[in-house]
Amino acid sequence: MPIEKLETEHRRILEMADALESQVAGPCPATPEALMQNRWNFTRDVLSHLSSDEALLLLPLMSDRRPHIAQLASQSRAQLRALYDDFEAHMARWKGLPGEKEWPEYRRGVQGLMRRLRARIAAEETGLHHFLPVQRGERQVPDLPTNYVGGAWTIRDGIYADSQASRGAS
């Protein structure tokens, strides 16, 4: 069932978010390997989930015969895209390991992103999941799901920027 899949992904993402937030709550790590790995695992799972979310929940609900449900799903899709844009901007801003002077700003950025992600998950589970299964109407959604995973390797390269630069120097 789509809802079980999405909610399982939510639980995993929330666990990873808690772990990542705990990791950045302390001082800037002397060795970045664990942080970079956690950032990459989190990024990979979030991007994969956004694609699942759109394909399994939002696009089907956008074709629901109940206009208010279709509108709600359409609005939620726009909010999902805005969250992705913020996530992508955060990842573009924070390549490699932030320095000690940047660490408080990085921490605040991570905390803000996690708050938005948690709010998104809560709103989706309480405001959309119960509308599945879709009541099919004649309304057709003209687009295909967005490939949120497409940019994952570029983001991964940014996460590991420091370690790749140091490997290239040796």
Side-chain angles (χ1 to χ4, degrees), residues 16 20 23 32-44 156 159-160:
M16 294 171 82
L20 190 56
Q23 198 170 17
E33 290 77 17
L35 176 61
M36 289 188 295
Q37 185 63 50
N38 288 343
R39 287 176 66 197
W40 167 239
N41 292 340
F42 178 76
T43 298
R44 182 194 61 224
R156 184 184 185 283
I159 290 171
Y160 287 97

Side-chain angles (χ1 to χ4, degrees), residues 50 78-92 113 116 148:
L50 295 180
Q79 292 163 354
L80 180 101
R81 181 59 198 207
L83 177 62
Y84 170 77
D85 290 343
D86 289 349
F87 184 81
E88 188 176 52
H90 173 84
M91 299 309 283
L113 196 58
R116 288 204 52 215
Y148 289 103

Side-chain angles (χ1 to χ4, degrees), residues 58 61-62 68-79 128:
L58 299 176
L61 286 176
M62 287 171 64
H68 67 287
I69 303 303
Q71 179 62 33
L72 184 63
S74 181
Q75 290 168 348
S76 184
R77 186 180 189 202
Q79 292 163 354
L128 289 172

